[in-house]
């Protein structure tokens, strides 16, 4: 039977519960155990699909088409285990399903309440589908004391009683702030956070304390005494250079050892940390560096491109170089010459996005890369902007545009209304709901055997994750291919363009899907590895 580890947070948000969960999962794997990670989000949205990236960060898409929290990206990158829609749930989704049952009469006239109906639904979600898994790690979003999180805390409290003895452990992540004027770390915020947690019936077994410096022995003793945990269970979670250093530092601090001890697993299997040691060594000892310009519209919040930045790091690992990121708001190019910002970069990446704001700047970035022979990587929206630019500049269709931005006489990019998913036809109306209506999840694509992208993949059939509403109009394909833009990848039915590339360019590739979602530190995505390799070559020319 699976054992359950519940990770909660206190004092402040954004302490890194997702990373802590992912790192602990990786450490348990290093000891030979199988793991599954799940995220409980207390907000009322059904999923993050319609939430602004500036509020919530990126939307991570799974193979089965779920729009989920960005922490699931950390889970996948650290454990290599692909997540699915059953690994992330929100209050909104729980209420949506409960109300649907109530309307059908499934509750036989009973009054539907938070306890037991909502908490039972949460428990069912946590427990479902864990056969054959050694450890299930469950992260609860937000912080203890948040009113919207109370049903989730109550549910995991109940599970602590209902699961067999020795099958449940609680980890509480808190902040130990350093007060410079006093010259000391303060334990009181953690004490109050644990007091709040205990007031709702949960006694943490382990404290994971975020800090920027070593925790003195006296502070450890005090935390253990006043928070009712063993002193050895007060684990230091020090700030580190890279997120890929976290498993090694948590292991050195004794987190995995203490977790297994809390479950009564002693002596614990010896861990094999060679993979993580190798990643950390490569990160800290690059043999060169490249600069990549990311031309986007959410550059003020880096979490909006979390998987993208990690995939670029993985590309750097594959080439043993440090990847420096130059974040550029695309609107800048609409009032200034792109050359001033792009002349000294070694690669240009235009990521996914929505809406007209900044689109002309992205088109100008694609033009600069095409004309100056700078490696260009267009992802989803970035591919569409590259096609519009080529249609305007190479084909001579000056009004080329996307219907996403309004009515246009030359719809080079248009709204998708239907597509095949397996053997089923999916249909969407332009005036329909926004949430969950895009082409979502894994779809196959066929690559032309002699294309550059097929050579990068080493395959002519691939499967990648999608998240988009608009597609390049194949009516413009013949004229673009005549001018050197090759449609090298198409959907199996030949109707939807999946990849484009320029024949007379060292590295100019656009993809309609999101390859960053499948990149791992141990398995860098081939497109990112190839893109950074091209940037490395470019760095010798600049």
């Amino acid at each position: 039977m699976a054992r359950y580890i519940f990770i909660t947070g206190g004092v402040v948000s954004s302490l890194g519960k997702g990373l802590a969960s992912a790192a602990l999962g990786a450490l348990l794997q290093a000891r030979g155990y199988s793991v599954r990670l799940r995220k409980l989000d207390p907000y009322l949205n059904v999923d993050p699909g319609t939430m602004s990236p500036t509020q919530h960060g990126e939307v991570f898409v799974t193979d089965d088409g779920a729009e989920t929290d960005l922490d699931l990206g950390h889970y996948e990158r650290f454990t290599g285990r692909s997540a699915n829609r059953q690994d992330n749930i929100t209050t909104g989704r729980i209420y949506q399903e409960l109300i649907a049952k109530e309307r059908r009469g499934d509750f036989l006239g009973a009054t539907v309440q938070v306890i037991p109906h909502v908490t039972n639904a949460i428990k069912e979600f946590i427990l479902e589908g864990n056969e054959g898994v050694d450890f299930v790690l469950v992260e609860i979003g937000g912080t203890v004391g948040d009113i919207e999180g109370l049903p989730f805390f109550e549910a995991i409290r109940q599970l602590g009683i209902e699961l067999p003895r020795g099958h449940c452990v609680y980890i509480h992540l808190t902040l130990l702030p350093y007060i410079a004027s006093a010259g000391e770390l303060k334990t009181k915020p953690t004490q109050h956070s644990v007091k709040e947690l205990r007031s709702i019936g949960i006694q943490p077994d382990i404290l994971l304390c975020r800090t920027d410096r070593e925790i003195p022995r006296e502070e450890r003793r005090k935390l253990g005494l006043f928070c009712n945990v063993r002193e050895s269970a007060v684990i230091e979670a020090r700030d580190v250079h890279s997120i890929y250093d976290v498993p090694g530092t948590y292991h050195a601090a004794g987190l995995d050892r203490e977790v297994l001890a809390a479950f009564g697993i002693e002596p614990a299997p010896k861990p094999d940390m060679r993979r993580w040691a190798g990643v950390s060594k490569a990160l800290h000892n690059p043999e060169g560096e490249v600069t990549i310009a990311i031309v986007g519209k959410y550059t003020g919040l880096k979490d909006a491109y979390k998987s993208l930045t990690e995939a670029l790091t993985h590309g750097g690992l594959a080439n043993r170089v440090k990847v420096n990121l130059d974040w550029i708001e695309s609107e800048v190019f609409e009032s200034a010459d792109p050359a001033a910002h792009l002349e000294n970069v070694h690669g240009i990446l235009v990521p996914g996005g929505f809406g007209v704001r900044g689109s002309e700047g992205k088109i100008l970035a694609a033009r600069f890369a095409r004309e100056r022979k700078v490696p260009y990587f267009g992802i989803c929206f970035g591919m569409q902007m590259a096609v519009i630019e080529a249609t305007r500049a190479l084909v001579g269709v000056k009004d080329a545009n996307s219907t996403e931005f309004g009515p246009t006489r030359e719809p080079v990019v248009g709204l998708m209304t239907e597509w095949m998913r397996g053997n089923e036809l999916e249909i969407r109306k332009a005036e329909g709901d926004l949430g969950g209506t895009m082409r979502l999840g894994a779809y196959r694509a066929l690559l032309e055997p002699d294309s550059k992208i097929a050579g990068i993949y080493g395959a002519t059939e691939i499967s990648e994750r999608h998240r988009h509403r608009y597609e390049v109009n194949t009516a413009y394909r013949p004229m673009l291919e005549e001018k050197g833009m090759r449609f090298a990848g198409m959907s199996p039915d030949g109707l939807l363009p999946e990849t484009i590339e320029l024949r007379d360019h060292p590295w100019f590739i656009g993809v309609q899907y999101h390859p960053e979602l499948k990149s791992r530190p141990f398995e860098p995505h081939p497109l990112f590895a190839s893109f950074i390799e091209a940037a490395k070559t470019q760095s010798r020319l600049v």
Side-chain angles (χ1 to χ4, degrees), residues 293 295 326 328-345 347-348 350 358-372 374 376 389:
V295 182
D326 187 3
I328 303 174
E329 190 74 25
S330 57
E331 286 181 288
V332 169
F333 296 157
E334 295 172 13
S335 58
D337 184 2
H341 296 272
L342 299 175
E343 269 185 334
N344 296 315
V345 303
I348 298 169
V350 176
S359 60
E360 290 298 323
K362 295 178 181 181
I363 289 170
L364 290 172
R367 177 167 298 177
F368 180 92
R370 179 181 59 80
E371 293 178 342
R372 299 290 190 94
V374 177
Y376 177 86
E389 190 282 322

Side-chain angles (χ1 to χ4, degrees), residues 251-373:
H251 173 65
L255 175 61
D256 49 329
R257 182 189 65 246
E258 200 63 34
V259 167
L260 294 175
F263 280 115
I265 303 174
E266 295 181 291
K270 290 185 178 180
D272 183 355
M273 297 294 293
R274 287 176 296 180
R275 286 207 312 177
W276 289 105
V279 169
S280 187
K281 182 179 179 181
L283 277 170
H284 293 289
N285 298 280
E287 297 173 358
E289 57 184 63
V290 298
T291 300
I292 304 297
I294 298 181
V295 182
K297 63 184 290 187
Y298 307 116
T299 57
L301 182 72
K302 307 304 185 289
D303 273 358
Y305 302 110
K306 176 57 71 176
S307 292
L308 186 70
T309 58
E310 296 310 316
L312 288 165
T313 297
H314 306 161
L317 286 171
N319 290 278
R320 301 198 68 83
V321 295
K322 179 184 178 185
V323 179
N324 300 311
L325 302 181
D326 187 3
W327 298 89
I328 303 174
E329 190 74 25
S330 57
E331 286 181 288
V332 169
F333 296 157
E334 295 172 13
S335 58
D337 184 2
H341 296 272
L342 299 175
E343 269 185 334
N344 296 315
V345 303
H346 309 128
I348 298 169
L349 192 151
V350 176
F354 298 93
V356 66
R357 182 174 70 83
S359 60
E360 290 298 323
K362 295 178 181 181
I363 289 170
L364 290 172
R367 177 167 298 177
F368 180 92
R370 179 181 59 80
E371 293 178 342
R372 299 290 190 94
K373 306 295 186 188

Side-chain angles (χ1 to χ4, degrees), residues 387-449:
V387 173
I388 290 173
E389 190 282 322
T391 309
R392 290 179 183 178
L394 299 180
V395 179
V397 181
K398 302 301 181 186
D399 293 330
N401 220 320
S402 170
T403 59
E404 183 176 0
F405 311 147
T408 175
R409 290 184 298 174
E410 300 288 352
V412 175
V413 176
L415 179 71
M416 298 173 63
T417 55
E418 57 182 56
W419 62 90
M420 295 300 295
R421 184 171 186 86
N423 295 320
E424 295 183 9
L425 179 68
E426 296 200 12
I427 300 175
R428 186 196 51 246
K429 296 180 180 179
E431 67 277 8
D433 290 345
L434 294 179
T437 60
M438 289 183 275
R439 189 175 185 228
L440 291 166
Y443 287 87
R444 290 189 306 126
L446 303 180
L447 309 179
E448 294 185 1

